[in-house]
């Protein structure tokens, strides 16, 4: 299973693994923990890498123009997911603030895959705070970036809320310059239809 394989990697990681390898393994481990609802354990695994989620959220500094580090970027996205899953207003607002910073950084450095994912996570943060219009705008921004390369799984991995927004955008023909066929292709990859979300306010 995925859990077993990740735990094996964690065990091997103690053998002086390079930093990028440690980041990647922990990133995958945290994804599993978040999926299992083990938020405190996920937070504990992120802490040694400079992440803190107490009264204020603290993350390792990003250096504009630094050598691209895919594994480190995954850790930042997991921090956003953790705040989203905590679900209380304080955590959600902290998540929005962090998402704004991370999106700005990704825009500067041209990290398109992570930028798409951050737009989709921020869309869910907005939705959880009943900011439907902002949520829809973020999904459209993600679509515009994703369509040229045909990204599919990035949307599917975010779950039913994103599927419902896509369905609503398609129904109202408000997907910007994105072709409807691309949205239909993404929706066909979801395991089942999701209920529609409320109209943007």
């Amino acid at each position: 299973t995925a859990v077993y394989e990740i735990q094996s990697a964690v065990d091997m990681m103690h053998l002086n693994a390079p930093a990028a390898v440690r980041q990647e393994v922990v990133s995958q481990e945290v994804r599993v923990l978040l999926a299992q609802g083990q938020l405190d354990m996920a937070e504990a695994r992120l802490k040694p890498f400079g992440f803190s989620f107490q009264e204020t959220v603290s993350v390792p500094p990003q250096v504009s123009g630094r050598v691209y580090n895919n594994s480190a970027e995954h850790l930042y996205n997991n921090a956003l997911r953790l705040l989203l899953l905590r679900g209380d207003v304080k955590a959600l607002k902290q998540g929005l603030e962090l998402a704004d910073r991370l999106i700005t950084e990704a825009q500067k450095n041209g990290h398109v895959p992570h930028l798409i994912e951050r737009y989709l996570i921020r869309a869910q943060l907005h939705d959880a705070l009943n900011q439907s219009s902002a949520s829809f705008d973020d999904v459209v921004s993600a679509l515009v970036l994703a369509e040229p390369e045909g990204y599919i799984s990035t949307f599917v991995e975010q779950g039913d809320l994103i599927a419902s927004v896509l369905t609503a955008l398609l129904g109202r023909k408000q997907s910007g310059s994105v072709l409807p066929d691309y949205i239909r292709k993404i929706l066909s990859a979801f395991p089942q239809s999701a209920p529609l979300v409320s109209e943007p306010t």
Side-chain angles (χ1 to χ4, degrees):
T1 65
V3 175
Y4 175 79
E5 294 296 332
I6 290 174
Q7 185 56 54
S8 297
V10 170
D11 293 340
M12 294 177 63
M13 190 175 65
H14 296 294
L15 302 177
N16 296 319
V21 173
R22 294 197 301 273
Q23 290 169 338
E24 182 62 28
V25 170
V26 170
S27 174
Q28 296 304 320
E29 182 187 12
V30 170
R31 283 291 290 264
V32 171
L33 291 171
L34 292 175
Q36 294 174 334
Q38 300 186 55
L39 305 188
D40 290 342
M41 191 173 295
E43 179 178 336
R45 296 299 292 129
L46 287 169
K47 186 175 181 180
F49 293 88
F51 293 84
S52 176
F53 304 88
Q54 303 305 314
E55 287 301 314
T56 59
V57 174
S58 176
V59 301
Q62 291 184 305
V63 180
S64 183
R66 74 188 189 284
V67 175
Y68 179 66
N69 185 335
N70 184 67
S71 301
E73 297 298 325
H74 283 307
L75 290 176
Y76 287 110
N77 287 358
N78 281 334
L80 289 177
R81 288 192 192 91
L82 175 60
L83 292 167
L84 172 63
L85 291 172
R86 286 220 180 276
D88 59 90
V89 172
K90 178 181 176 181
L92 294 171
K93 289 183 176 180
Q94 289 174 329
L96 277 181
E97 181 181 348
L98 178 58
D100 290 345
R101 289 161 48 196
L102 294 178
I103 285 171
T104 298
E105 188 65 30
Q107 288 171 333
K108 290 178 183 177
N109 293 324
H111 299 162
V112 173
H114 293 293
L115 181 55
I116 293 169
E117 188 172 5
R118 285 166 192 174
Y119 274 128
L120 295 175
I121 297 173
R122 191 172 70 176
Q124 295 170 80
L125 289 162
H126 279 304
D127 182 79
L129 289 168
N130 297 314
Q131 300 168 359
S132 300
S133 182
S135 177
F136 274 51
D137 288 345
D138 274 343
V139 174
V140 171
S141 295
L143 285 167
V144 170
L145 287 171
E147 186 177 26
E149 297 298 328
Y151 288 97
I152 301 292
S153 62
T154 305
F155 292 85
V156 176
E157 289 170 356
Q158 299 304 317
D160 286 349
L161 186 279
I162 298 303
S164 66
V165 172
L166 292 172
T167 301
L169 287 171
L170 192 62
R172 295 201 315 277
K173 299 180 181 179
Q174 291 184 344
S175 55
S177 62
V178 178
L179 294 175
D181 285 348
Y182 176 54
I183 297 178
R184 293 189 188 98
K185 186 175 182 181
I186 296 173
L187 286 170
S188 70
F190 280 86
Q192 60 185 9
S193 297
L196 288 178
V197 296
S198 59
E199 295 290 318
T201 55

